[in-house]
């Protein structure tokens, strides 16, 4: 499957369609870039009016080249693309890069044209990159198939970007920093080749050890989550998603809908697939810098070697902020450090080698620090002081880094020619360098995060535990939804009940004995209420008894209520008495709900309930479905988790029961694509279990009429 | 007063004590730095053994120089400092810089030595910078009184730092960036001249337009807050405080104590004095870069001009995150932009001038953007694309910037020689440049923040409103505290009552009529309870009646309770019946408390109460005292503010009454330095007011015995 994109990444013969003679012509630039890159394949400029382009023999069309091109780079304007694509299909071209803008992004006409182009490609078995893109670069193959003039050196990182402008900026920056890339791909409109297909290609690409993604949107969520999970199982994946605050609030009928912002869904999706999300573009650059060093750390534990206290504290602050920690210095490492450092050293991590540290002292301290088992990485900080050997200390880092496989990060603070020289030296030895301690820590935590997320990336099976939902009853309840699409409270509760979720379901008793039997089943205390279509204000007629504690009391309540009602309203039709479980406040009132995200499909949210739910926004969100492990993680991540667990000596709630409710709820949501939104509010948790006291569900009646494919409403496919 | 430090900042004759002949000798380096800086005063190397140092005539002691030195820089080791300081005092030297380490920071002996030195200085009227510092630089006067080899160019920013190493790094960085400083001061141990004195000097220094502070701790809080407020009234103040997460949790008896972390107190203090706190050192550098441009913006509203969408979105994300916003483009600005931009431009802010923008288009767009009234600053972003005129566009920014006083910030993304050239060009024209859009936004918001904080920096008067606290009663209650220091609930409530704070105070009635009268005063409903030292379980004897709603019911309850008690326990001594107001849940239960911070004295905290208080940490903290404006700001900043204000149609609480409770509480705390910790928990707020249902106070019995000076326990002095 991954071989499918070889036509794009490893072409031998490349046609450049629309290459003109002017140096400012787009196609001309692409030809020039291919030649300047020293591409070792064949370049065919395509131009019906000229014999050559920049001295290179040109051909009138892709059908008239000496050999069939593997790849055609289309540098013609949008209006001419369709014809050329048809010619490519006829000629047997395998891959197309289309640079022109003017397609889907400009409106319906452009979209139709794009769809037409994709259709031809699919039928001809051609793969298409773009349109509206900068192209791609494969430095190792000296293939610069872009209109960007420069190309970084070969390296181990793949950049996949939806922005050509950002890619151009990264290229220039990487050149200055000496950072190499395995592939640089700009997806543009991603009409055919999108992020998922690219990741699937890169996961098997031996030159690629990590991928860095600049995304503006994710189109096919299932394809993305599947590909990303395959990728992160083998290699780190770091994603910058633009537009965090741009998403406007959605109209929604439930708390869940109002609380689940689009950006939280991206967080959930990226974490779920084991990708690290970075929130600032600078953080992406810093992370690239560290990934380029190609050394792996699994835990965010750092040993810091510094010649000044202040910058050491900065790194500690940043580590704490980002959830990393300082490595603990073992007695043997302490001994080793004592041997090589003056007595006034800090005797702790950060390892302060003091302001007068010569290069040798740095080297000895770093060597001791790398051998500390608890440290997964080493950060070396230098500030220029009176005695500081700026260059020699850089050599010391390089020498010490050769004694370990752990990542070694360098922060040479200050500036000036000597510092620049030291940084260049470090960089050319493959030591990542950063301007400030915080940047180094960010990069370090980012790369370890991708590892730790991977552990929980396993997709849950669709059915959560060995329970047998009453699917027929559920389907019938859903099918019976009124035209409004809003399932009434009782039917919503019945729906949850069909999936084995405890609900406070009022049940009708037509005799005192039946009332006692129902109450026995529910558990005491209960509430008994008159059931009559003719009686609205039940308490006014003495039609409610609160709190019967045993079967006898229930029987007595039944008789009493019926007698009261008959006396007060002799003409009323009496159906019987409704029995309902009384549920106390428990440890906490939660909200458990599901809502549909336009990109990532059904999501499941657990939140703190009560009046303050919307205000405090104490919630956890995951893509559906979730398994028991994820459900537990969600509950434990709530700020009110201590209340659930049992706060200050209070008995803890039955968390297993709560987890079971969540996974069963997840199964319900996964089974029924017609459900657009559901909510239990409150879901009360106590030592004796979890029970939903109120329920609602919104049904998509169109989906009911035209059932969508199984699981098509999920952003992550169950196994 | 500010003139006092002229001896340090504007000396004419400078003695360097301990200057040796070796180039690596500290004093030798200082002499060399003074000469290399081209200092236009007189340098006297002091060395009893050599005729000259580096060719400069030397003198045996500060008493034997041709003229009395204004400033003596002490480069001798700690052990020799005391003697030299005595000689300086005898000679009539006015200022001393002491570089040696080995004083307070190494233990009690060092501290004693330091105290002795300071004592001599005070007696002789000498000012002392250090010990344990790098010295100071005044570029405008070509005075490099440090052992750092380089000095930045003259500029408008003052750097005040507790770290010499960090200062050395800033110097090197500033040289590379071409950023100028008015003064660079390293405080070291700040034995005499500390942050407050330095700020007081700088506020009147015409060369200093803004100050940037690197602080590790604040010693004299009152002096600092006073000086900082004087400073921010005129000039921006930006502070980086190291060690955010290092502070360990304090042992505390109240929620308030447990909830107020040391770092939150720094936040409160810096905000209170109108200073901007930056949390990452990189942010400090970026802010310096913008401050160096010496243009002022008051609101964080930005117009963004960019040639690519992605980086524009990054700036929007960063603005939203930091509480800034995009300027709204008025119709007239829109017209102006339409005239100069191609039709495909974004027609909104960010102003996307499109990927093919030539320099002229940039210039025209920026010119239109700067004239938009809603924009307080302009951010120009360039990404290198096929047609991009990297250098020409820099010229365009420079030209457009000359048409406005607003800050213009530039982000030239990418890298490479041409980009470096463009950035150098921008920098030398005084345009601040940043690597990434987010960094520019950070700097912009930071500089506007200092302005907006200043508006609320006014210190409140000690007595909050025109109420007359019963100070005698309060003093008597405090004096009567038991040995434990813990004031019992009733006495604590009485203490608050003495300061006009509504409390649910149980009151004893000895007759049915008196009970009715008390209940009338409190408001209904009430609770009536038997008062007898012999009856512990009041309900067991029928000694409690909950909910009497009027005087008759109270009278009946009184008789009933007394009769019940007499019947159940005929031998019990009955004092009467206690009447207590019944208070419902109201809009919210709050916690109002005070706690003592070791640096900043009494602080006042308002927090959401209830079981979840400790867990949710929804709280606002301020240095005491607070006025009504600050009290209101605190309440409004709570996440549960919507509940207090009236959520979803519910009637709002009486916020004025709540504010009054807070200011009266603040007055109580300000009046009584013996109070170490107090708390009302809960303080219930409802439409009918605010009332404390439980109260406690911790009294410092030592302070009771030896009353401290008025207001000495406050970090900010009332006016």
């Amino acid at each position: 499957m991954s071989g499918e994109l070889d036509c794009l990444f490893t072409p031998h013969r490349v046609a450049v369609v629309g290459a003109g003679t002017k140096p400012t012509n787009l196609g001309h630039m692409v030809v020039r870039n291919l030649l300047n890159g020293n591409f070792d394949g064949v370049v065919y400029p395509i131009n019906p009016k000229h014999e050559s382009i920049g001295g290179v023999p040109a051909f009138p069309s892709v059908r008239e080249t000496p050999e069939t091109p593997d790849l055609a780079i289309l540098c013609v304007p949008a209006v001419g693309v369709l014809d050329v694509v048809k010619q490519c299909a006829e000629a047997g071209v395998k891959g197309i890069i289309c640079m022109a803008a003017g397609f889907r992004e400009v409106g319906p006409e452009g979209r139709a044209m794009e769809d037409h182009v994709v259709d031809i490609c699919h039928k001809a078995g051609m793969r298409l990159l773009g349109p509206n893109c900068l192209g791609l670069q494969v430095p190792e193959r000296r293939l610069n198939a872009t209109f960007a003039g420069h190309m970084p050196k070969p390296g181990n990182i793949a950049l996949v970007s939806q922005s050509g402008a950002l890619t151009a900026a990264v290229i220039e920056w990487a050149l200055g920093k000496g950072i190499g890339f395995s592939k640089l791909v700009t997806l543009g409109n991603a009409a055919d080749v999108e992020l998922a297909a690219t990741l699937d290609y890169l996961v098997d690409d031996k030159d690629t050890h990590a991928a860095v993604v600049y995304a503006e949107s994710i189109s096919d969520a299932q394809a993305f989550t599947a590909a990303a999970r395959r990728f992160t199982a083998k290699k780190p994946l770091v994603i910058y998603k633009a537009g965090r605050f741009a998403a406007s609030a959605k109209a929604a009928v439930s708390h869940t809908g109002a609380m689940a912002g689009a950006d939280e869904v991206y967080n959930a999706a990226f974490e779920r697939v084991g990708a690290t999300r970075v929130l600032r573009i600078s953080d992406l650059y810093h992370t690239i810098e560290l990934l380029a060093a190609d050394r792996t750390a699994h835990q965010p534990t750092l040993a810091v070697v510094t010649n000044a206290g202040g910058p050491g504290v900065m790194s500690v602050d940043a580590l704490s902020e980002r959830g990393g920690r300082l490595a603990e210095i073992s007695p043997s490492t302490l001994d080793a450090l004592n041997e090589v450092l003056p007595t006034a050293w800090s005797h702790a991590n950060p390892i302060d080698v003091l302001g007068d540290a010569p290069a040798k002292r740095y080297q000895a301290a770093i060597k001791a620090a790398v051998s500390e088992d608890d440290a997964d990485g080493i950060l070396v900080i230098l500030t220029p002081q009176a005695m500081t050997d700026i260059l020699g200390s850089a050599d010391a880092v390089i020498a010490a880094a050769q004694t370990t496989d752990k990542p070694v990060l360098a922060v040479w603070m200050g500036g000036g020619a000597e510092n620049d020289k030291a940084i260049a030296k470090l960089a050319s030895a493959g030591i990542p360098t950063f301007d400030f301690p915080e940047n180094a820590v960010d990069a370090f935590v980012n790369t370890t995060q991708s590892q730790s997320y991977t552990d929980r990336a396993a997709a849950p099976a669709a059915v959560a535990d060995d329970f047998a939902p009453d699917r027929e009853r559920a389907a019938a309840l859903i099918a019976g939804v009124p035209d409004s699409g809003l399932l009434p409270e009782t039917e919503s509760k019945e729906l949850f009940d069909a999936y084995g979720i405890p609900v406070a379901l009022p049940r009708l008793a037509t005799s005192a004995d039946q009332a006692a039997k129902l109450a026995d089943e529910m558990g005491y205390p209960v509430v008994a209420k008159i059931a009559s279509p003719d009686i609205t204000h039940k308490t006014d007629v003495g039609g409610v008894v609160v709190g019967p504690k045993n079967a006898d009391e229930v029987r007595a309540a039944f008789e009493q209520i019926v007698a009261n009602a008959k006396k007060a309203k002799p003409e009323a039709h009496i159906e019987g008495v409704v029995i309902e479980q009384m549920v106390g406040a428990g440890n906490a009132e939660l909200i458990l709900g599901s809502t549909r995200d336009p990109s990532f499909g059904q999501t499941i949210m657990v939140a703190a309930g009560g009046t303050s739910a919307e205000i405090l926004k104490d919630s956890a969100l995951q893509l559906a479905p979730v398994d028991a492990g994820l459900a537990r993680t969600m509950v434990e991540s709530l700020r009110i988790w201590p209340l659930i667990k049992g706060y200050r000596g209070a008995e803890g709630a039955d968390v297993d029961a709560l987890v079971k409710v969540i996974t069963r709820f997840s199964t319900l949501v996964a089974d029924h694509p017609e459900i657009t939104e559901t909510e239990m509010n409150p879901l009360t948790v106590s030592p004796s279990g979890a029970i939903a006291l109120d329920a609602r569900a919104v049904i998509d009646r169109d989906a009911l009429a035209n059932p969508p494919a199984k699981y098509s409403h999920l952003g992550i496919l169950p196994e």
Side-chain angles (χ1 to χ4, degrees), chain A:
Chain A
M1 180 176 171
S2 68
E4 277 182 27
L5 299 189
D6 279 344
C7 55
L8 298 173
F9 290 107
T10 64
H12 180 55
R13 297 180 188 90
V14 180
V16 181
V17 185
T21 50
K22 277 193 204 160
T24 57
N25 166 276
L26 186 72
H28 190 98
M29 283 197 280
V30 172
V31 170
R32 182 68 56 208
N33 289 345
L34 283 165
L35 299 179
N36 288 351
N38 206 16
F39 178 52
D40 67 355
V42 187
V43 180
Y44 299 137
I46 305 295
N47 188 319
K49 291 183 196 150
H50 294 276
E51 193 185 338
S52 72
I53 299 298
V56 184
F59 303 91
S61 87
V62 286
R63 288 168 303 198
E64 290 156 275
T65 52
E67 303 285 337
T68 305
D70 306 308
L71 173 66
I73 306 175
L74 275 47
C75 302
V76 296
V79 65
V81 164
L82 204 56
D83 272 350
V84 180
V85 170
K86 282 178 189 162
Q87 290 169 23
C88 288
E90 288 165 28
V93 168
K94 296 191 197 76
I96 289 176
I97 296 175
C98 180
M99 291 175 170
F103 289 88
R104 190 174 50 188
E105 78 279 10
V106 297
E109 267 178 63
R111 171 182 284 272
M113 196 155 68
E114 187 174 307
D115 288 345
H116 198 166
V117 167
V118 171
D119 194 46
I120 295 169
C121 289
H122 281 178
K123 282 183 182 142
M126 294 189 298
R127 298 308 303 257
L128 169 71
L129 185 68
N132 190 18
C133 75
L134 183 73
L136 61 84
Q137 296 186 339
V138 186
E140 179 64 40
R141 300 184 58 85
R142 305 196 295 278
L143 174 68
N144 179 2
T146 71
F147 53 90
H150 301 121
M151 180 158 64
K153 67 176 192 182
N156 59 296
I157 301 170
L159 174 74
V160 187
S161 169
Q162 271 183 288
S163 160
L166 194 274
T167 305
V170 170
I171 290 169
E172 296 299 327
W173 168 82
L175 277 167
K177 279 274 190 173
I179 287 174
F181 285 85
S182 61
K183 313 274 183 294
L184 300 103
V185 196
T186 63
L187 298 176
N189 291 2
D192 172 36
V193 174
E194 21 66 285
L195 182 51
T198 311
L199 289 176
D200 273 338
Y201 183 83
L202 294 171
V203 69
D204 292 329
D205 176 34
K206 67 169 181 40
D207 293 338
T208 298
H209 299 180
V212 170
V213 174
Y214 174 92
E216 291 177 350
S217 62
I218 303 281
S219 46
D220 183 344
Q222 277 189 0
F224 164 73
T225 55
R229 288 172 63 215
R230 280 190 290 270
F231 192 90
T232 58
K234 294 191 182 175
K235 305 171 182 182
L237 177 62
V238 179
I239 303 182
Y240 175 92
K241 160 75 179 65
R244 289 161 58 203
F245 291 88
S248 56
K250 292 177 298 174
V253 300
S254 68
H255 286 72
T256 311
M259 288 166 80
D263 204 58
E264 279 70 38
V265 178
Y266 276 101
N267 282 339
F270 293 157
E271 195 175 317
R272 181 72 164 270
V273 300
T276 300
R277 181 178 191 180
V278 296
L279 297 180
R280 299 197 139 205
I281 199 73
S282 52
D283 210 5
L284 193 75
Y285 279 74
H286 298 141
T287 308
I288 290 174
E289 183 121 24
L290 181 53
L291 288 173
D294 214 8
R295 296 183 175 204
T296 315
H298 290 268
Q299 298 298 324
T301 52
L302 210 49
V304 180
V305 178
T306 177
N307 71 342
V313 175
M314 291 168 204
S315 65
V316 179
D317 277 351
L319 262 179
S320 306
E321 189 188 328
R322 292 295 313 273
R325 68 170 175 84
L326 283 173
E328 281 180 37
I329 301 291
S330 66
S332 65
T333 305
L334 205 67
D335 288 347
L337 286 164
N338 281 333
E339 227 163 85
V340 296
L341 294 179
T343 49
W345 82 278
S346 60
H347 287 81
N349 188 10
I351 298 159
D352 190 339
V353 296
L354 306 180
D356 62 348
K360 273 184 99 168
R361 196 191 296 167
Y362 256 112
Q363 190 171 337
I366 302 166
K367 227 184 123 187
V370 299
S371 64
E372 172 53 58
D373 282 343
D374 193 41
D376 257 22
I378 292 88
L379 169 61
V380 185
I381 302 172
L382 177 140
T383 56
Q385 299 181 55
M387 314 290 186
T388 307
D389 180 357
I390 294 177
L391 278 172
S393 301
D395 286 328
V397 173
I398 294 167
Q402 281 161 357
T403 68
T404 181
D405 289 336
K406 297 177 183 178
V408 178
L409 301 80
V411 173
W412 255 227
M413 292 187 78
E418 215 180 332
N419 215 49
D420 288 350
K421 230 161 119 183
I423 289 170
K425 215 173 197 183
L426 288 160
S428 68
I431 309 279
T433 60
F434 305 87
D435 288 342
F436 302 105
E438 296 104 330
N439 301 348
V441 168
D442 280 341
F444 183 67
V445 175
N446 288 342
T447 56
T448 57
Q449 236 171 23
S450 189
Q451 297 285 343
S452 63
Y453 287 160
T454 309
D455 300 340
R456 23 176 167 144
V463 173
D465 55 8
D466 55 352
F467 80 110
D470 186 345
R471 290 198 162 84
E472 272 179 38
R473 186 174 150 222
L477 283 161
I478 290 173
V481 69
D483 287 348
S484 67
L486 201 65
L487 208 60
E489 181 189 336
T490 304
E491 282 73 8
S492 296
K493 281 183 175 172
E494 298 240 17
L495 178 62
F496 292 137
D497 184 54
Y499 270 74
I501 295 167
V503 289
L505 201 56
R507 301 191 62 187
L508 182 70
T510 52
S511 72
D513 280 343
Q514 194 191 358
K517 191 166 162 268
L518 288 174
D520 271 346
E521 285 168 19
M522 288 175 191
Y524 295 97
V526 295
V527 180
K529 296 179 193 169
I530 189 73
S532 162
D534 307 317
I535 299 175
T536 315
H537 300 289
K538 298 181 173 104
T539 30
D540 292 355
V541 301
V544 178
V545 173
V546 175
K549 292 187 296 289
N550 53 47
D552 285 344
E553 288 185 22
V554 171
R555 271 188 212 97
F558 184 97
E559 304 296 0
Q560 181 67 46
I561 284 171
V562 172
N564 286 352
K566 277 187 177 156
K567 197 174 149 197
K569 280 213 163 184
E571 77 289 359
H573 168 66
I574 293 174
E575 293 169 344
V577 171
V578 163
I579 306 296
E580 204 177 318
Q581 195 183 353
M582 264 180 84
V583 180
N587 296 66
E589 290 192 341
L590 301 179
I591 299 175
L592 176 60
S594 72
T595 185
R596 188 79 65 95
D597 179 76
S599 297
F600 286 97
Q602 276 294 359
T603 60
I604 289 179
M605 175 184 272
V606 182
T611 339
S612 47
E614 284 159 86
I615 294 170
L616 295 178
K617 292 191 176 22
D618 179 17
S619 63
L621 183 129
Q622 281 285 352
L623 306 190
V626 298
D627 63 6
L630 271 173
R632 192 170 287 273
T633 304
M634 292 174 81
V635 174
E636 288 178 359
S637 75
L638 293 178
R639 274 180 279 142
I640 61 156
W641 165 238
L643 285 184
I644 299 169
K645 198 176 52 175
Y647 192 59
R648 294 209 154 176
E651 191 182 354
D654 184 347
V655 178
D656 289 337
L658 173 59
V659 165
K660 204 169 271 189
V661 165
I662 298 172
T663 53
R664 290 176 176 193
F665 175 67
S666 162
T667 306
L668 167 68
V669 164
D671 280 353
H672 294 282
E674 321 85 44
I675 299 176
T676 47
E677 213 171 314
T678 59
E679 186 173 89
M680 306 175 207
N681 182 8
L683 170 71
T684 298
V685 290
S686 68
S688 57
I691 181 165
L693 303 191
D694 196 359
R696 61 166 83 204
V698 183
I699 308 298
D700 176 359
R701 289 178 55 86
D702 292 340
L704 212 52
N706 306 294
K710 195 182 182 193
Y711 297 148
S712 61
H713 63 308
L714 302 180
I716 192 161
L717 206 59
E719 267 150 4

